[in-house]
């Protein structure tokens, strides 16, 4: 009897010792960190800069390699939209742009919208189109939507070159307040990258999203003050509007700074800056939360 009890006690001690050896969780180096650490995130993205450049170069070559006109499409698309907007909104709707020529007024908005729509559409597919690569090569997965934004930036720079030609064509010059463009550019990039991060994981989990993108793009260009001024939106709703769509304040700010020699509305710009930061941080956290399951659902 005493021997059986001793054997039971030994088994219990053995089980307790075994349990004590089992860690409560994975070692720290294997824990997937979802907490936002801006310095670490910036360091990882900077370390992956060559990969971002290589992905952007590959996408640029793939986009224009089979096109007869090549990079000219980066110019022709916004110019064609600008011509359509001029015919419809200037001639039919009679949009009042003051002393500024309507094509110049519309083209400033189109540059911003083209950058956003290109990043949104290509960034949304960036993970789905690179599943074989991201499952073989270790890298921060947020570099894939970032590379698409770099491609859109190249197109935007080409579009800015055309804007300079339009300034010459209408015998005018950017106003002295053009330095306001810099903070507006930060807001534009933050909002756009946040949306690209959200859509990139959304497409992996919900393939229906890719079919919604063309609809969102077509509706978005008219829901954003690209062809008309922000003043067309009732003043009591403007703060709410730019909180949802910071591009409204960004485009209006560009026009004031470049075309009218005025500073952007600080209240609307501040709201747009906060909203863009929320989209960026929220998009990044959602991206990190869902990226661990990408390989399982792909």
């Amino acid at each position: 009897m005493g021997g059986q009890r001793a054997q039971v006690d030994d088994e219990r001690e053995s089980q307790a010792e075994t349990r004590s050896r089992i860690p409560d969780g994975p070692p720290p180096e294997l824990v997937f960190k979802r907490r936002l650490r801006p310095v670490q995130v910036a360091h990882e993205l900077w370390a992956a800069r060559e990969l971002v450049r290589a992905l952007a170069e590959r996408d640029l070559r793939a986009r224009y390699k089979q096109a007869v006109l090549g990079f000219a499409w980066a110019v022709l698309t916004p110019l064609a939209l600008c011509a359509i907007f001029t015919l419809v909104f200037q001639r039919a709707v009679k949009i009042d742009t003051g002393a500024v020529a309507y094509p110049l007024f519309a083209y400033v908005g189109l540059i911003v919208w083209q950058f956003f729509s290109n990043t949104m559409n290509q960034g949304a597919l960036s993970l789905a189109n690179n599943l074989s690569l991201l499952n073989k090569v270790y890298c921060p997965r947020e570099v894939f939507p970032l590379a698409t934004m770099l491609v859109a930036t190249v197109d935007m720079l080409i579009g800015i070159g055309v804007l300079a030609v339009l300034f010459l064509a209408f015998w005018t010059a950017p106003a002295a307040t053009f330095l306001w463009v810099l903070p507006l550019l930060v807001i534009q990039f933050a909002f756009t990258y946040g949306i690209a991060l959200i859509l990139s994981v959304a497409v992996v989990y919900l393939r229906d999203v890719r079919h919604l993108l063309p609809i969102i793009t077509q509706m978005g260009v008219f829901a954003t003050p690209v062809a008309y001024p922000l003043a067309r939106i009732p003043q009591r709703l403007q703060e709410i509007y730019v909180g949802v769509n910071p591009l409204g304040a960004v485009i209006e700010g560009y026009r004031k700074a470049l075309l009218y020699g005025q500073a952007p509305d600080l209240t609307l710009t501040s709201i747009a800056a906060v909203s863009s930061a929320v989209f960026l941080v929220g998009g990044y956290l959602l991206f990190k939360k869902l990226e661990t399951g990408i390989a399982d659902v792909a």
Side-chain angles (χ1 to χ4, degrees):
M1 191 67 180
Q4 291 180 349
R5 179 174 298 175
Q7 184 178 0
V8 172
D9 291 341
D10 290 342
E11 290 178 354
R12 288 177 177 174
E13 290 179 0
S14 177
Q15 291 175 357
E17 184 179 0
T18 302
R19 285 196 297 270
S20 66
R21 292 177 180 175
I22 299 175
D24 295 332
E29 65 273 15
L30 297 181
V31 174
F32 192 83
K33 299 179 177 65
R34 297 191 180 94
R35 288 178 295 179
L36 181 62
R37 296 179 175 178
V39 176
Q40 183 177 348
V41 172
H43 177 73
E44 289 180 353
L45 291 179
W46 177 252
R49 61 188 181 281
E50 287 301 322
L51 176 60
V52 175
R53 183 185 60 79
L55 290 170
E57 285 186 0
R58 184 201 63 180
D59 291 346
L60 276 172
R61 293 177 189 275
R63 180 188 298 182
Y64 297 115
K65 184 177 181 180
Q66 301 298 329
V68 175
L69 298 180
F71 284 92
W73 285 111
V75 175
L76 293 176
T77 303
L79 281 181
L81 287 173
C82 185
I84 294 172
F85 283 179
T86 301
L87 290 174
V88 174
F89 288 93
Q90 187 185 31
R91 301 292 175 83
V93 185
K94 305 292 183 184
I95 296 291
D96 183 12
T97 59
V100 176
Y102 182 82
L104 204 55
F105 176 91
Y107 191 77
V108 170
L110 279 169
I111 290 177
V112 179
W113 178 254
Q114 283 295 111
F115 170 80
F116 176 76
S117 62
N118 288 343
T119 305
M120 180 181 68
N121 287 303
Q122 299 303 318
L125 303 177
S126 59
L127 292 180
N129 289 342
N130 290 285
L131 286 174
S132 58
L133 179 61
L134 60 86
N135 285 331
K136 294 178 181 177
V137 179
Y138 171 75
C139 62
R141 291 172 177 177
E142 52 267 34
V143 300
F144 293 97
L146 182 62
T148 63
M149 193 166 75
L150 183 58
V151 173
T153 303
V154 173
D155 290 340
M156 186 176 70
L157 290 175
I158 296 173
I160 290 174
V162 177
L163 179 63
V165 175
L166 287 178
F167 272 115
L168 290 174
F170 288 99
W171 292 95
T172 184
T177 51
F178 70 92
L179 288 179
W180 279 105
V181 165
L182 298 179
L184 294 170
L185 200 60
V186 174
I187 297 172
Q188 176 186 340
F189 273 65
F191 175 66
T192 303
Y193 188 43
I195 294 296
L197 286 171
I198 294 171
L199 290 176
S200 63
V201 289
V203 166
V204 174
Y205 284 85
L206 298 171
R207 298 303 172 95
D208 292 346
V209 175
R210 70 169 64 196
H211 300 292
L212 287 174
L213 288 175
I215 301 174
I216 296 173
T217 303
Q218 292 180 11
M219 295 178 64
V221 70
F222 295 108
T224 303
V226 175
Y228 52 86
L230 185 63
R232 286 274 176 163
I233 297 173
Q235 190 170 8
R236 67 181 187 281
L237 299 178
Q238 288 183 8
E239 294 183 358
I240 299 174
Y241 175 80
V242 299
V244 177
N245 183 5
L247 290 183
V250 170
I251 293 173
E252 191 71 6
Y254 282 146
R255 285 170 176 157
K256 285 190 173 183
L258 290 172
L259 306 179
Y260 295 100
Q262 302 172 7
D265 186 299
L266 293 182
T267 300
L268 296 179
T269 304
S270 299
I271 293 173
V274 173
S275 177
S276 297
V278 170
F279 274 106
L280 178 62
V281 174
Y284 180 80
L285 292 176
L286 180 67
F287 185 92
K288 300 306 288 184
K289 183 178 180 61
L290 297 179
E291 73 168 344
T292 52
I294 290 176
D296 297 330
V297 300

